[in-house]
């Protein structure tokens, strides 16, 4: 059933859902006693870079290949090379072709059962064989797929899975993608009559304080040799697993058929889901045949109501809310594209502490694990499928224009397969994610010139119709640059919600477009595009579009030593609008539903050219170290008292030079002290409502900001002039790990002087040595110009900081990490690994990240 979006924007709400997905903590992620098993298939693979002939055959000898566990990204293993065909878009990292093979035996007690293999993501062109039989190939690297192994299995002996991954055609994307089986793999065993793959759709047609109506549509698939009459029950469980309400119904499913069963329950006094209170339930679907339980399928459920109002913005559960969002690519910094659930959770928690409540999955489907965590932690998600359709952008006479030919944004990008695969990929994306309460809209494109510039509207109509048929409960959108052209072509009128990317000055058209199109829901889908390099500063502003450039901080550049490929942390580097000016627009215009800044984290690729290898737009660097702009958003998006001072206060040779000192705070006023002498108190004014500023003649010592709220000192921040590097300081964010359970410990490497003060410009080479039941997964420093290996056992600090990422192996005991640097005393830190019984069985323990990759 579809509906008229234009009529429902004001009069009705899009009632949002729940979803399927589970973190691979145990070997079997299904509940105890379930006849359905979904077992981690990550462990025990063999890998070879290259394209050996006959590798799909069972008789092929892979004993000389590299043993590893999944997920795995071979590109992150490097090395960086200016001549790598991935180029600036791929961060100058290698790509190519690789093979994976694994042998296994059929699980016990699975006779007459269906056995399937499920890949969550292979980048890209993943081609799969079982016992020499080709199952198929999936070109799109960002969506999972399932193959039925049942007809080809040897149930008495050994079976072999072979996977060929071809990411050789480069550049294949505008950003770093990684290469390999980079997400989880599962082996699934079910009855022949079962809930189909991604086979439930859970919606909430009506919600009140008294009760919520929950509608569950289950697709049942029967591969028995005859029809079956079964009883299907639905139960809603609370967070403790207690059944609150249930309903059951008998249904007959013919041989070889699929049938959809539609059932409804009434849940009394529902707890509503929101970013501040992400209350979750679980829908348990059970199939009984002749009284025997034959299948159990679990789907999380979040109950909430979202209204997209063109005049008031987003209304969640009856309350207005501003989307305080970021766009993020999928790589995990030094870990590359390989999926570590623990690393994703770290990133989301950092954003939550900043006050972020929304994520845009730019510009492709994310992992299911990310969405599950967004459900649990409380994030609104703009779920994006495509970066491009058939055309990209081109430069003519120095201007960015739509390509007149069907040339994509990347030479070997998705545009080459769009006509053949777009319907399948969008369908699978919606079916996979339509039950996640975090997902609030589907984005079917990002800056698509054939429609925005050339008025090719049939594709959008087709994608919109497909979205509405698959999921009538959510609106669809596209992120648009050059919004004036999109308005003129009629493109924007075909969207349910209109996303404004900053390109072409779109971020300056909110007010004009609201007057022209009063029934349009507007949100900033990709604004602002500000740049910043951690610990680097310039007092002369640098914008890609000079007409929008903010004023210079000083008449002459104070920091000539800043490398030209580094960006300023004063919020005066970017494309066309600063973080402060963008947020000022968003928070003061009630009809703008929110903004998604580009980006939350620095990301590999889209570097702008050698020697830079990453996109420097993040407000958190590649190694999870916050930049100054992180604290700007924290000052605007949170209530707990905070104050942050910038820049650092170690400026040798600049005695007496007046340096701009900035302060971000959410308090009433701040008083600044230099060596205990007051430099005055500043309060926010209508003109200056985003930061406080002093011009301070440089003098060695201690600079301290004291923040006051309601007449009381509630927060302080200080920076101290540092001496020469005298020691390496190590600190861990997780001092205890469970053996073999994919937990990570992030160890911050910090250079300090003899008094323990942070040395903000230290570039110190640090050697690492690890002992005990663990291993070094990756190292990094966040430097956009660094070409050091992420896989090494040495790293040079960038502006005083570096990172080492550790994980446990199977044994219990203590991991000791020692850090040494020339002329400095060796330091060490200990991480305890606790025994976890059989928790690690079948779970990835190496993620393919070895210290000695081929």
């Amino acid at each position: 059933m579809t509906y008229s979006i234009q009529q429902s924007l004001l009069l009705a709400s899009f009632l949002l859902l729940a979803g399927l997905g589970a973190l691979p903590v145990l070997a079997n992620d299904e509940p105890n006693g379930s006849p359905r098993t979904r077992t981690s298939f990550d462990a025990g693979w063999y890998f070879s870079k290259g394209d050996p002939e006959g590798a799909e055959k069972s008789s092929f000898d892979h004993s000389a290949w590299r043993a590893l566990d999944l997920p795995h990204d071979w590109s992150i293993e490097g090395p960086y090379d200016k001549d790598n065909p991935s180029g600036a878009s791929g961060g100058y990292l290698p790509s190519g072709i690789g093979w994976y093979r694994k042998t296994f035996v059929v699980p016990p007690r699975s006779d007459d059962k269906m056995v399937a293999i499920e890949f969550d993501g292979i980048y890209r062109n993943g081609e799969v064989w079982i016992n020499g039989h080709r199952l198929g190939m999936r070109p799109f690297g960002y969506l999972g797929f399932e193959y039925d192994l049942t007809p080809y299995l040897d149930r008495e002996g050994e079976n072999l899975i072979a996977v060929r991954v071809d990411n050789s055609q480069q550049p294949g994307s505008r950003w770093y993608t990684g290469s390999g089986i980079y997400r989880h793999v599962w082996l699934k065993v079910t009855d022949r009559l079962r809930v189909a793959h991604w086979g439930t759709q859970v919606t909430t047609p009506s919600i009140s304080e008294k009760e919520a109506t929950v509608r569950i549509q289950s697709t049942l698939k029967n591969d028995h040799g005859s029809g079956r009459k079964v009883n299907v029950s639905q139960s809603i469980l609370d967070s403790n697993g207690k059944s609150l309400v249930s309903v059951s119904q008998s249904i007959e499913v013919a041989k070889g058929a699929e049938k959809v069963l539609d059932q409804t329950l009434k849940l009394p006094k529902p707890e509503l889901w929101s970013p501040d209170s992400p209350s979750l339930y679980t829908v348990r679907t059970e199939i009984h045949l002749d009284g025997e339980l034959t299948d159990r399928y679990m789907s999380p459920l979040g109950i909430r109501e979202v209204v997209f109002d063109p005049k008031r913005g987003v209304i969640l559960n009856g309350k207005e809310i501003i989307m305080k969002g970021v766009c993020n690519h999928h790589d995990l910094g030094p870990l590359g594209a390989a999926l570590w659930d623990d690393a994703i959770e770290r990133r989301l928690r950092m954003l939550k502490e900043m006050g972020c409540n929304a994520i845009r999955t730019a510009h492709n489907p994310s992992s299911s694990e990310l969405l599950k965590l967004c459900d649990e932690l409380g994030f609104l998600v703009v779920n994006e499928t495509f970066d491009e359709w058939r055309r990209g952008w081109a430069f003519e006479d120095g201007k960015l224009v739509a390509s007149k030919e069907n040339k994509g944004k990347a030479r070997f990008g998705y545009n080459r397969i769009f006509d053949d695969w777009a319907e399948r990929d969008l369908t699978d994306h919606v079916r996979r994610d339509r039950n996640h309460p975090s997902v609030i809209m589907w984005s079917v494109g990002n800056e698509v010139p054939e429609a925005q510039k050339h008025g090719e509207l049939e594709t959008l109509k087709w994608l919109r119709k497909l979205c509405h048929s698959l999921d009538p409960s959510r609106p669809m959108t596209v992120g648009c640059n050059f919004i004036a052209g999109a308005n003129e072509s009629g493109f924007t009128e075909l969207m349910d919600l209109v996303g404004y990317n900053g390109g072409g000055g779109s971020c300056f058209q909110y007010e004009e477009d609201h007057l022209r199109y009063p029934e349009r829901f507007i949100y900033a889908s990709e604004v602002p595009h500000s740049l910043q390099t951690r610990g680097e500063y310039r007092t002369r502003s640098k914008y890609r579009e000079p007409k929008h450039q903010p004023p210079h901080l000083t008449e002459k550049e104070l920091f000539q030593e800043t490398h030209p490929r580094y960006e300023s942390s004063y919020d005066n580097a970017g494309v066309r609008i600063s973080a402060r000016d963008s947020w000022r627009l968003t928070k003061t215009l009630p009809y703008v539903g929110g903004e998604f800044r580009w980006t939350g984290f620095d990301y590999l690729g889209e570097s702008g050219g050698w020697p830079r290898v990453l996109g420097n737009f993040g407000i958190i660097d590649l190694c999870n170290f916050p930049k100054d702009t992180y604290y700007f958003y924290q000052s605007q998006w949170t209530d707990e008292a905070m104050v942050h001072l910038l820049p650092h206060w170690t400026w040798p040779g600049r005695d007496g030079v007046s340096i701009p000192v900035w302060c971000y705070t959410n308090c009433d006023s701040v008083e600044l002290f230099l060596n205990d002498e007051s430099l005055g108190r500043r309060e926010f004014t209508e003109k200056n409502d985003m930061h406080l500023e002093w011009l301070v003649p440089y003098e060695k010592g201690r600079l301290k900001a004291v923040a006051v709220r309601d007449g009381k000192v509630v927060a302080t921040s200080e920076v101290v002039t540092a001496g020469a590097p005298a020691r390496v300081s190590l600190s861990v964010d997780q001092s205890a790990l469970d053996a073999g359970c994919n937990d990570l410990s992030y160890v911050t490497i910090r250079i300090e002087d003899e008094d323990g003060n942070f040395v903000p410009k230290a570039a110190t080479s640090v050697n690492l040595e690890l002992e005990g039941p663990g291993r070094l997964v990756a190292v990094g420093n966040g430097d956009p110009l660094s070409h050091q290996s992420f896989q090494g056992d040495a790293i040079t600090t960038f502006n005083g900081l570096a990172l080492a990422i550790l994980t446990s192996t199977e044994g219990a005991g203590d991991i000791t990490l020692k850090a040494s640097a020339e002329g400095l005393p060796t330091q060490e830190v200990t991480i305890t690994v606790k025994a976890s019984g059989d928790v690690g069985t079948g779970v990835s323990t190496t993620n393919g990240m070895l210290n000695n990759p081929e």
Side-chain angles (χ1 to χ4, degrees):
M1 172 181 168
T2 60
Y3 54 86
S4 169
I5 297 287
Q6 299 303 319
Q7 293 177 1
S8 65
L9 276 174
L10 280 171
L11 302 178
S13 56
F14 295 97
L15 305 177
L16 300 183
L17 322 176
L20 174 65
L23 293 177
V25 177
L26 301 179
N28 176 18
D29 79 325
E30 295 297 329
N32 292 336
S34 174
R36 167 191 292 258
T37 63
R38 186 174 184 257
T39 306
S40 173
F41 209 58
D42 287 346
W45 289 79
Y46 289 83
F47 168 73
S48 177
K49 180 83 177 295
D51 197 14
E53 185 176 353
E56 76 280 5
K57 297 177 181 178
S58 298
S59 58
F60 184 89
D61 181 9
H62 61 240
S63 59
W65 288 14
R66 173 179 159 195
L68 52 75
D69 293 353
L70 305 176
H72 173 234
D73 169 17
W74 79 69
S75 290
I76 199 63
E77 296 165 1
Y80 286 110
D81 191 323
K82 185 178 180 181
D83 295 325
N84 271 332
S86 62
S89 61
Y92 299 100
L93 285 164
S95 49
I97 297 173
W99 279 83
Y100 299 83
R101 286 166 59 94
K102 173 173 176 165
T103 57
F104 69 101
V105 295
V106 177
R109 298 182 299 279
S110 60
D111 292 346
D112 201 38
K113 299 278 190 177
M114 300 291 295
V115 180
I117 190 167
E118 185 179 351
F119 293 89
D120 284 350
I122 301 176
Y123 205 91
R124 61 181 169 165
N125 296 309
E127 195 169 3
V128 183
W129 289 263
I130 173 68
N131 296 332
H133 177 86
R134 184 179 183 274
L135 296 171
M137 191 273 287
R138 193 68 182 260
F140 194 36
Y142 293 112
L143 280 171
F145 51 90
E146 178 184 272
Y147 289 126
D148 180 16
L149 305 182
T150 310
Y152 316 108
L153 290 173
D154 181 349
R155 293 186 179 267
E156 304 298 325
E158 206 170 60
N159 296 271
L160 181 125
I161 291 282
V163 182
R164 181 179 185 268
V165 183
D166 184 354
N167 194 23
S168 60
Q169 290 188 311
Q170 294 293 324
S173 173
R174 294 190 300 120
W175 57 86
Y176 176 83
T177 61
S179 303
I181 308 178
Y182 71 105
R183 291 179 182 166
H184 296 299
V185 185
W186 307 90
L187 192 70
K188 188 163 69 176
V189 179
T190 64
D191 189 84
R192 291 179 180 267
L193 198 162
R194 63 206 181 275
V195 177
H197 187 45
W198 301 327
T200 61
Q201 183 169 12
V202 184
T203 56
T204 50
S206 66
I207 301 171
S208 69
E209 186 176 339
K210 179 182 178 182
E211 67 178 18
T213 300
V214 181
R215 181 186 182 194
I216 304 139
Q217 295 167 278
S218 306
T219 301
L220 309 180
K221 188 171 184 179
N222 182 13
D223 282 310
H224 284 288
S226 61
R228 291 287 193 275
K229 186 175 182 179
V230 294
N231 182 271
V232 180
S233 64
Q234 308 285 359
S235 302
I236 296 178
L237 314 180
D238 65 13
S239 59
N240 296 316
K242 178 183 177 182
S243 178
L244 303 176
V245 289
S246 299
V247 66
S248 63
Q249 182 177 338
S250 295
I251 185 173
E252 188 162 345
V253 186
K255 166 188 172 182
E258 282 192 0
K259 198 165 186 178
V260 178
L261 178 63
D262 198 333
Q263 295 167 284
T264 300
L265 299 92
K266 302 285 188 180
L267 178 66
K269 297 182 179 179
E271 295 182 11
L272 301 185
W273 186 99
S274 71
D276 291 334
S277 180
S279 301
L280 289 171
Y281 297 91
T282 301
V283 174
R284 183 180 66 200
T285 304
E286 292 184 329
I287 300 176
H288 288 82
L289 175 64
D290 297 329
E292 179 184 353
L293 178 66
T294 58
D295 195 17
R296 176 182 289 150
Y297 189 95
M298 312 294 276
S299 308
L301 164 67
I303 298 173
R304 47 65 160 297
E305 181 181 53
V306 178
V307 176
F308 299 95
D309 190 309
K311 295 179 176 61
R312 298 170 57 199
V314 180
I315 303 170
L316 175 63
N317 300 330
K319 299 178 181 179
E320 294 177 8
I321 182 174
I322 300 177
M323 294 184 291
K324 303 168 183 174
V326 299
C327 301
N328 278 332
H329 282 312
H330 70 294
D331 77 74
L332 294 171
L335 299 170
L339 179 66
W340 288 81
D341 307 342
D342 200 21
I344 295 176
E345 182 171 355
R346 263 180 183 76
R347 289 191 158 202
L348 290 176
R349 289 192 182 279
M350 284 191 73
L351 293 173
K352 198 75 175 177
E353 289 173 9
M354 186 185 74
C356 176
N357 66 10
I359 304 287
R360 179 182 177 222
T361 66
H363 301 290
N364 50 261
S366 71
S367 66
S368 296
E369 286 76 13
L370 182 137
L371 293 180
K372 181 177 186 294
L373 285 165
C374 287
D375 293 344
E376 294 173 351
L377 298 176
F379 286 90
L380 308 172
V381 176
V382 177
N383 206 355
E384 195 152 84
T385 310
F386 306 119
D387 179 48
E388 62 179 340
W389 297 345
R390 300 180 186 87
R391 296 191 191 185
W393 299 92
F395 280 96
E396 291 183 5
D397 299 325
K399 295 182 178 180
L400 190 65
V401 299
S403 172
K404 294 184 175 64
E405 304 174 15
N406 284 358
K407 293 182 179 179
K409 296 180 180 181
R411 183 181 177 189
F412 297 103
Y414 188 83
N415 72 300
R416 295 161 62 92
I417 61 170
F418 180 84
D419 286 326
D420 294 330
W421 283 94
E423 182 172 359
R424 172 74 179 275
D425 289 337
L426 179 58
T427 298
D428 282 0
H429 188 196
V430 174
R431 284 175 57 85
R432 189 196 72 170
D433 294 350
R434 63 188 174 185
N435 293 337
H436 282 284
S438 55
V439 176
I440 61 171
M441 64 181 90
W442 304 109
S443 179
V444 298
N446 173 66
E447 301 178 359
V448 282
E450 58 263 51
Q452 294 178 200
K453 285 283 190 178
H454 294 293
E456 195 285 277
L457 305 180
E458 294 307 310
T459 300
L460 181 61
K461 293 177 182 177
W462 167 57
L463 295 173
R464 181 184 66 177
K465 182 178 180 181
L466 186 58
C467 278
H468 293 171
S469 65
L470 292 165
D471 181 12
S473 69
R474 287 182 180 85
M476 55 74 63
T477 186
V478 173
C480 300
N481 59 350
F482 298 99
I483 197 75
N487 287 337
E488 184 178 345
S489 69
F491 182 64
T492 51
E493 294 305 298
L494 295 174
M495 282 182 267
D496 304 330
L497 314 174
V498 181
Y500 283 61
N501 290 9
S506 301
C507 52
F508 300 106
Q509 285 194 222
Y510 305 149
E511 295 172 272
E512 177 184 340
D513 280 9
H514 179 64
L515 292 174
R516 291 178 62 193
Y517 310 101
E519 298 306 308
R520 173 183 295 179
F521 180 87
I522 294 172
Y523 74 102
S525 46
E526 191 179 305
V527 184
H529 297 79
S530 65
L531 290 152
Q532 43 273 311
T533 303
R534 176 178 54 78
E536 299 290 337
Y537 302 91
R538 284 194 185 88
T539 58
R540 304 283 289 178
S541 299
K542 188 178 76 171
Y543 268 36
R544 193 173 76 189
E545 295 184 5
K547 68 178 181 178
H548 299 308
Q549 184 163 288
H552 299 304
L553 276 66
T554 61
E555 185 175 342
K556 294 182 179 180
E557 177 57 63
L558 296 184
F559 309 121
Q560 297 286 351
E561 70 275 20
T562 299
H563 192 286
R565 300 307 302 275
Y566 291 155
E567 307 294 348
S568 172
S569 293
Y570 275 121
D571 191 29
N572 62 340
V575 180
R576 61 189 63 82
I577 192 171
S578 69
R580 291 161 296 140
D581 288 339
S582 177
W583 178 244
R584 184 180 292 109
L585 281 173
T586 300
K587 78 170 188 176
T588 56
L589 300 176
Y591 48 82
V592 176
E595 71 175 37
F596 293 79
R597 72 151 286 115
W598 189 264
T599 53
F601 290 82
D602 280 350
Y603 54 94
L604 295 164
E606 202 172 17
S607 72
W610 187 267
R612 193 158 73 181
V613 295
L614 55 83
N616 213 188
F617 291 94
I619 49 178
I620 303 168
D621 80 2
L622 205 67
C623 295
N624 287 16
F625 298 132
K627 306 179 190 180
D628 292 309
T629 311
Y630 173 95
Y631 298 100
F632 161 70
Y633 286 104
Q634 191 175 65
S635 75
Q636 298 295 311
W637 291 356
T638 66
D639 295 323
E640 185 176 348
M642 59 78 61
V643 61
H644 176 75
L645 201 56
L646 66 143
H648 62 78
W649 204 241
T650 303
W651 301 105
R654 288 187 173 82
D655 289 353
V657 175
S658 292
I659 293 177
V661 174
W662 283 24
C663 183
Y664 295 131
T665 185
N666 54 12
C667 299
D668 301 331
S669 65
V670 173
E671 188 171 5
L672 188 67
F673 294 86
L674 177 58
N675 295 327
D676 297 326
E677 181 180 341
S678 176
L679 302 182
R681 183 189 298 269
R682 298 280 191 274
E683 296 181 355
F684 288 112
T685 65
E686 184 176 342
K687 182 179 180 180
N688 184 28
D689 61 343
M690 294 287 157
H691 76 283
L692 302 175
E693 181 176 354
W694 294 257
L695 274 176
V696 181
Y698 179 68
E699 174 186 327
K700 293 180 182 179
R702 184 181 304 272
L703 194 65
K704 183 176 183 179
V706 178
V708 174
R709 180 186 287 174
D710 297 328
K712 297 180 180 179
V713 174
V714 290
T716 62
S717 175
E718 62 180 44
V719 286
V720 180
T721 304
R727 69 188 190 196
V728 178
S729 171
L730 302 178
S731 61
V732 300
D733 71 343
Q734 193 157 292
S735 59
L737 302 174
D738 288 329
C741 286
N742 277 357
D743 291 345
L744 296 172
S745 183
Y746 280 44
V747 181
T748 297
I749 303 166
R750 171 183 154 114
I751 306 301
E752 297 175 349
D753 68 9
E754 62 181 0
D755 295 321
N757 298 314
F758 175 59
V759 183
K761 300 301 291 184
T764 304
S765 179
V766 179
N767 297 306
L768 301 170
E769 182 182 347
L770 188 144
E771 298 175 353
R775 63 187 185 84
L776 187 61
V777 180
V779 295
N781 60 16
D783 182 357
L785 306 184
S786 173
H787 302 147
Q788 286 186 275
S789 172
F790 294 116
Q791 302 288 300
D793 55 7
I795 189 67
T796 300
T797 61
F798 173 61
N799 287 340
L801 296 174
L803 176 72
I805 304 176
L806 281 63
T807 192
S808 64
T809 52
E810 291 296 334
D814 287 340
I815 301 172
T816 301
L817 179 70
K818 296 180 180 180
S820 59
E822 185 176 355
L824 304 182
T826 298
Q827 300 291 326
E828 64 180 51
V829 67
T830 299
I831 299 164
T832 300
V833 180
K834 299 177 292 183
S836 55
D838 62 352
V839 171
T841 305
V843 178
S844 170
T845 58
T846 70
N847 273 55
M849 298 293 194
L850 304 182
N851 290 330
N852 56 344
E854 291 180 358

